[in-house]
Amino acid sequence: MMKDSGGVALANEEQPVAHELGTILVVEDDPRMQRVLQRMFLSENYDVVTAGDGQKGLELFRSCRPIAVVLDLILPHISGRELCQKFQTISADTPVIVVSAIAEVVDKVLLLELGADDYVTKPFSPRELMARVQAAIRRRRKKMTVVRNSIPIQLTSHEFRLLKFFTDHAERVLGREELLNEVWGYNCYPTTRTVDNQILKLRQKLEPDPANPRHLLTIYGAGYKFVP
């Protein structure tokens, strides 16, 4: 548990792991790919539900409470991008792994900003996808909470990781490129505005006066600095 002078506490504690592995929701409009993914997750003892369009995917997400979602981007009725936002609103703790043939870095950054946990480009190795899904589930089984003035504040996984990186490097000026590399895992990217947008969201959630921050400071021409 970490706590700053403004009353912000950061907890990252393992929750007990349930005996049953839980349900994976696959939202994919290609029946052949649906079958491939279903067989793969069933072989690892997960339950699987599948949806061939965005509307059905949204209904199953609400009714089945999956432990993770594998999501295609191009879907009938509701797009993968819109679904990702809706999933985040309904249950920010459920990891979403995007599987898509779209390989542009700008799309990956956008999806991560919208709340996706990972992005796998088709064609992919089933073993790699399984490893990424399981890693996302393990990350989300850790409590990711921030408490400010005794009030719990919900953060997305990327907001939490960004805040933790700042608290781990308190008082040090961190450049946007370093933050993208270390928190998002990007060695190349179309824009550093991704970092600016996430800092803005953290300030709105954590700072007493977001327009005049005391903790997440802008160091003009250099980056950002966290002051406890």
Side-chain angles (χ1 to χ4, degrees):
M1 174 82 69
M2 292 172 283
K3 196 170 187 178
D4 68 30
S5 58
V8 176
L10 187 66
N12 191 356
E13 303 170 357
E14 284 284 353
Q15 294 178 337
V17 178
H19 291 296
E20 53 277 341
L21 292 180
T23 300
I24 305 288
L25 169 60
V26 174
V27 189
E28 165 67 63
D29 65 338
D30 181 347
R32 185 189 64 83
M33 183 59 68
Q34 274 191 18
R35 291 192 295 271
V36 168
L37 295 175
Q38 187 174 40
R39 285 196 300 268
M40 181 180 75
F41 289 119
L42 287 173
S43 71
E44 295 292 329
N45 298 316
Y46 292 97
D47 291 327
V48 184
V49 291
T50 61
D53 63 75
Q55 184 60 46
K56 183 65 174 177
L58 183 59
E59 293 170 2
L60 287 173
F61 185 85
R62 286 178 168 142
S63 62
C64 295
R65 310 295 293 178
I67 61 168
V69 179
V70 176
L71 175 66
D72 192 15
L73 281 188
I74 303 174
L75 296 166
H77 306 313
I78 303 177
S79 72
R81 289 179 179 84
E82 187 177 350
L83 265 187
C84 193
Q85 287 181 296
K86 290 181 181 295
F87 291 162
Q88 183 69 30
T89 300
I90 297 168
S91 175
D93 291 335
T94 305
V96 177
I97 297 85
V98 172
V99 177
S100 177
I102 301 174
E104 292 294 326
V105 174
V106 66
D107 289 285
K108 295 181 180 181
V109 172
L110 174 63
L111 263 295
L112 293 173
E113 286 186 348
L114 292 178
D117 286 69
D118 209 341
Y119 192 114
V120 181
T121 304
K122 297 177 181 178
F124 57 85
S125 158
R127 183 174 295 181
E128 178 191 4
L129 177 60
M130 177 62 73
R132 293 195 184 206
V133 170
Q134 291 176 329
I137 292 170
R138 285 194 299 270
R139 287 195 300 269
R140 291 299 182 102
R141 278 181 175 155
K142 295 180 180 180
K143 291 181 181 178
M144 294 187 292
T145 58
V146 169
V147 179
R148 183 176 180 276
N149 296 331
S150 302
I151 300 173
I153 299 170
Q154 187 178 54
L155 298 182
T156 68
S157 61
H158 283 95
E159 288 169 349
F160 185 89
R161 288 202 291 270
L162 180 59
L163 179 60
K164 187 175 187 305
F165 192 78
F166 272 119
T167 59
D168 288 345
H169 300 85
E171 303 283 359
R172 178 184 154 199
V173 177
L174 302 170
R176 291 171 176 82
E177 292 82 2
E178 179 180 2
L179 290 169
L180 274 172
N181 291 340
E182 297 296 332
V183 179
W184 279 266
Y186 277 98
N187 295 313
C188 61
Y189 31 80
T191 174
T192 55
R193 289 294 299 172
T194 295
V195 173
D196 298 336
N197 292 337
Q198 293 296 308
I199 296 290
L200 177 62
K201 292 177 182 178
L202 278 178
R203 284 173 173 165
Q204 290 170 340
K205 291 182 178 182
L206 302 178
E207 294 280 3
D209 181 4
N212 298 286
R214 293 187 303 170
H215 302 295
L216 292 166
L217 306 182
T218 299
I219 308 300
Y220 291 99
Y224 296 95
K225 181 169 71 171
F226 176 76
V227 178

